[in-house]
Amino acid sequence: MRKFSFLIIFVMLFTAILSSCAKDTSEDTESGFATAAERLEAVEKFYAENGLVNWQDIAAVYLMQKNIADFQYAEALQKNESYEDKCGMVIAISLLIKQKVDVSSYNIDGYVTMIKNNVESNYESMTIKQIALSVYALVASDTDYDFEAAAENILSRQNKDGGFPASKDIKISDTESSAYVLNVIMLNRELFPDECYNKVVTYLGTVISVDNTISDINGKKSARATALDLNALISARLPLDGQVSTSMSAAMDLFFRLPNGGYKKYLDDKNIDRETNGEVMLCLAATGYGNLWTKLQSENAKDVSDVSE
């Protein structure tokens, strides 16, 4: 009962902190997309015209409950050079398989084995982003993994301000790495103490600027950082239609959306950045349907329960 009461109190405090950080931007975006539904329509239109070019695009379409096969997606399956690319490949192929698309020409078993081994044994040398993408890939492919040692390593990286640095060689907290960690915490909640969870949630709430954007490790207002932060907070049960979610979504439209419907990374950029665009559109999908990773984990658990019954 005490733990339940503490959770209620913290959720109330968490919401109050974030609400105090978020400024209502609805009056500033009268000419933009005012509702989550309209934003999702715009995302679908953009993908119909421009195709899916990375795993984030495929993930956004999947989360919106649209058929990935209805879009041009071949380009999204071509990147497999870096470790992050391989994680993305596992995510993309796994989501296509869930929609019963024939991807038998792609064998990701070796990638899954490598990723599982890294999470369980090589986490010390990995960046926060690499650990997070590894976990996303294992969740998407419904692969069991032992995360206890990696969780302890992540805990050791938390700074006093509640945030996390990109890697063990960097000391300063950054918003994107902290957002990745919060998502990972929500997928392995039993392995992280309340203090760690509370501190990173508060950190991500307090870094929201007065215009409802987030700055990245370079100190520049970034659509990518804003999207990752909001999506992570949604994983921690931030209300989808609350002031924080609405204001941050509106800010991404106001400051980063281009006339073609895509998103640039920084305020002074002129062109779309497709990786940033994918993260923003995955985040916008989350404002309508919830965080993809926590939803997938719940679906995986339900499937196991159904089989056991």
Side-chain angles (χ1 to χ4, degrees):
M1 182 66 181
R2 178 180 299 176
K3 187 171 183 180
F4 179 71
S5 299
F6 172 79
L7 179 60
I8 293 176
I9 292 171
F10 177 73
V11 168
M12 293 174 64
L13 178 60
F14 166 47
T15 303
I17 290 172
L18 293 181
S19 296
S20 68
C21 297
K23 168 180 171 288
D24 186 358
T25 57
S26 58
E27 294 182 0
D28 298 329
T29 55
E30 289 297 327
S31 60
F33 297 102
T35 68
E38 289 171 329
R39 289 192 183 93
L40 294 178
E41 289 177 7
V43 169
E44 185 177 359
K45 181 176 184 292
F46 176 86
Y47 283 143
E49 295 174 351
N50 299 280
L52 315 178
V53 303
N54 50 46
W55 70 262
Q56 292 94 333
D57 293 341
I58 286 180
V61 171
Y62 178 89
L63 183 56
M64 292 191 300
Q65 302 177 10
K66 304 296 181 181
N67 292 322
I68 300 169
D70 290 343
F71 302 83
Q72 296 293 326
Y73 65 85
E75 186 177 348
L77 305 182
Q78 302 307 309
K79 292 183 63 177
N80 62 356
E81 297 178 0
S82 69
Y83 182 77
E84 289 87 346
D85 290 340
K86 292 177 173 61
C87 291
M89 178 70 78
V90 171
I91 294 168
I93 295 297
S94 297
L95 297 181
L96 283 161
I97 291 173
K98 288 179 182 293
Q99 290 194 344
K100 304 187 185 312
V101 177
D102 182 9
V103 287
S104 55
S105 60
Y106 296 90
N107 187 341
I108 58 172
D109 291 347
Y111 288 169
V112 172
T113 299
M114 174 192 67
I115 292 168
K116 175 180 168 68
N117 180 65
N118 283 337
V119 161
E120 295 181 343
S121 305
N122 300 325
Y123 48 82
E124 289 187 0
S125 61
M126 298 171 72
T127 66
I128 289 294
K129 180 180 179 181
Q130 288 173 336
I131 293 174
L133 293 185
S134 298
V135 171
Y136 298 168
L138 295 174
V139 170
S141 60
D142 196 8
T143 303
D144 292 334
Y145 60 99
D146 184 350
F147 200 65
E148 187 169 355
E152 291 182 5
N153 180 263
I154 291 175
L155 275 169
S156 71
R157 301 189 194 188
Q158 188 170 32
N159 288 327
K160 291 183 179 180
D161 62 6
F164 288 82
S167 70
K168 65 177 184 178
D169 299 321
I170 299 174
K171 303 301 181 184
I172 301 174
S173 299
D174 76 86
T175 52
E176 294 185 10
S177 297
S178 301
Y180 281 127
V181 170
L182 179 56
N183 255 311
V184 169
I185 289 174
M186 297 310 298
L187 295 170
N188 299 274
R189 187 65 187 88
E190 71 283 358
L191 298 178
F192 292 88
D194 289 341
E195 181 182 9
C196 171
Y197 167 77
N198 296 347
K199 288 175 67 176
V200 70
V201 167
T202 302
Y203 170 83
L204 289 172
T206 54
V207 295
I208 302 173
S209 66
V210 294
D211 62 7
N212 299 304
T213 62
I214 304 290
S215 295
D216 64 10
I217 195 170
N218 299 312
K220 299 180 66 174
K221 294 181 184 297
S222 163
R224 175 183 168 82
T226 304
L228 287 171
D229 190 314
L230 177 55
N231 207 343
L233 291 172
I234 288 172
S235 79
R237 300 183 181 86
L238 179 76
L240 302 184
D241 58 352
Q243 180 182 336
V244 178
S245 179
T246 302
S247 296
M248 291 181 71
S249 298
M252 287 190 286
D253 275 359
L254 180 63
F255 297 113
F256 303 107
R257 190 171 185 271
L258 295 167
N260 68 352
Y263 292 83
K264 57 186 180 179
K265 185 174 183 179
Y266 294 123
L267 295 176
D268 54 357
D269 287 346
K270 303 300 182 184
N271 301 313
I272 186 175
D273 179 279
R274 284 304 299 255
E275 183 177 355
T276 294
N277 184 80
E279 291 290 359
V280 171
M281 292 191 170
L282 179 56
C283 175
L284 294 178
T287 66
Y289 295 92
N291 178 270
L292 174 62
W293 315 114
T294 54
K295 287 178 69 70
L296 286 175
Q297 182 159 279
S298 295
E299 291 170 7
N300 294 343
K302 182 177 184 300
D303 291 340
V304 171
S305 176
D306 290 344
V307 170
S308 64
E309 291 177 359

